[in-house]
Amino acid sequence: MIDDQHWGFILAAYALSICVFGGLLSWIVADYRLQNKALAGLEAAGAKRRSDGDLE
Amino acid sequence: MNLAFANPRRFLAFARLAIPWAGILGALVAAIGFYGAFAVAPADYQQGETVRIMYIHVPAAWLSTACYGIMALSSIGTLVWRHPLADVSAKAMAPIGAAFTFLCLVTGSLWGRPMWGTWWVWDARLTSVLILFLIYCGILALWNAYEDPARAGRAAAVMTLVGAINLPIVKFSVDWWNTLHQPASVFRMGGPTIDGSMLWPLLTVAIGLTSVMLALHMAAMRNEILRRRVRTLGLIAASTESRDFSR
């Protein structure tokens, strides 16, 4: 399919794109797990907020 | 976004459903676009196969400015209405926008080397996109410079709105200055100059990646809401402990 002399540039561009999307997705998933774990730990320790609907 | 979801609890319920749908649907649409880009669209008569880089470079470039646009709108929400979800949205979008801008710069460089004979040139388009990336980095640094997210949100909102002046410069740089970068060939007066066989895969990838970007944004917003809950509960737990200790 790619018989051009510049195929290396094309492959590098798409390989980098996969790395960037993969990195972004992994970071978001890892952060989600980390925050859920921290929240569960605090709730298990009995910490409660006056209102659940507010951020602060 | 609908104001009915401008409440963290409602947003979390909405995001739980919307994130997988937007992410999976976006990935499927992008995959169809990439299939068209590699298996259906022809090679360019001048650039040969190297034109395939366009199908990732151009959507990344569009999304780099779209992400900043969403951040700027969220910043208005922070400064005018002081809505807590507005600065959550702005903070969540910063690393995603920075990632798309980085991708745009590097894939552009990988496209420029074989076509222009150079990795980089200080022309108006490339320089203004580099400035956009540096603004994203500055905003990310600002978010991390403050302990209190509300103070960080206001400072980052001001910086985001000041930086928004760069968006029209990015868009119109190829018209205002004589650049090595080509002028607009899709969103322009008089219609696209790209042949339909190349245009549909390009637009399909762009639509798919936009949906993926929205899924990532909602997921990052959900993380930020949880982070603020953890911070609040941590402060409550610390103040309860110190009260018990002083008794």
Side-chain angles (χ1 to χ4, degrees):
Chain A
M1 183 165 47
I2 299 172
D3 54 357
D4 198 87
Q5 56 176 322
H6 301 307
W7 63 271
F9 292 97
I10 303 165
L11 289 180
Y14 281 91
L16 178 88
S17 306
I18 290 167
C19 288
V20 168
F21 278 107
L24 209 51
L25 191 64
S26 307
W27 169 66
I28 287 173
V29 169
D31 192 25
Y32 180 62
R33 287 183 182 156
L34 187 75
Q35 300 310 324
N36 264 328
K37 199 176 164 187
L39 199 59
L42 282 162
E43 282 170 350
K48 269 186 202 165
R49 297 181 314 158
R50 274 178 297 178
S51 162
D52 251 352
D54 296 326
L55 281 171
E56 290 294 329
Chain B
M1 190 172 285
N2 192 321
L3 281 177
F5 299 108
N7 167 295
R9 188 192 282 269
R10 281 191 197 138
F11 173 80
L12 288 178
F14 171 75
R16 198 206 313 253
L17 288 173
I19 291 168
W21 276 103
I24 293 167
L25 208 64
L28 284 175
V29 171
I32 292 168
F34 284 125
Y35 173 78
F38 279 88
V40 181
D44 186 71
Y45 80 106
Q46 280 183 321
Q47 302 187 33
E49 300 288 351
T50 318
V51 77
R52 313 275 180 209
I53 297 175
M54 171 182 76
Y55 300 102
I56 186 66
H57 170 74
V58 173
W62 288 342
L63 289 173
S64 68
T65 51
C67 289
Y68 202 94
I70 292 172
M71 256 171 49
L73 288 175
S74 301
S75 298
I76 293 171
T78 296
L79 293 176
V80 178
W81 295 288
R82 304 222 164 170
H83 197 286
L85 265 190
D87 63 72
V88 165
S89 164
K91 186 180 181 186
M93 190 53 102
I96 299 167
F100 277 115
T101 313
F102 172 76
L103 203 55
C104 166
L105 284 168
V106 181
T107 55
S109 190
L110 285 163
W111 195 6
R113 181 69 184 89
M115 292 300 100
W116 299 339
T118 181
W119 297 100
W120 182 262
V121 59
W122 291 100
D123 88 352
R125 171 57 68 83
L126 276 69
T127 307
S128 58
V129 174
L130 178 64
I131 290 170
L132 181 67
F133 179 66
L134 295 176
I135 293 171
Y136 272 122
C137 293
I139 290 166
L140 283 169
L142 198 54
W143 272 111
N144 290 306
Y146 288 87
E147 180 72 20
D148 177 14
R151 282 185 67 201
R154 284 193 290 278
V158 171
M159 185 172 172
T160 302
L161 290 176
V162 171
I165 200 162
N166 190 42
L167 290 186
I169 297 174
V170 170
K171 166 70 182 155
F172 296 110
S173 53
V174 287
D175 303 320
W176 293 341
W177 291 281
N178 187 19
T179 57
L180 186 56
H181 192 284
Q182 66 172 64
S185 48
V186 178
F187 298 115
R188 59 185 286 281
M189 300 285 281
T193 54
I194 298 180
D195 187 72
S197 61
M198 292 174 164
L199 185 61
W200 79 260
L202 178 64
L203 293 178
T204 308
V205 171
I207 290 166
L209 292 188
T210 301
S211 185
V212 170
M213 177 270 282
L214 291 173
L216 291 172
H217 183 216
M218 284 187 283
M221 281 179 72
R222 180 171 64 180
N223 290 353
E224 183 58 25
I225 291 169
L226 293 177
R227 190 179 347 273
R228 291 183 186 202
R229 282 190 176 172
V230 167
R231 182 176 181 273
T232 306
L233 285 183
L235 289 173
I236 290 169
S239 69
T240 310
E241 260 177 41
S242 69
R243 207 169 44 229
D244 293 346
F245 183 73
S246 62
R247 274 182 193 159

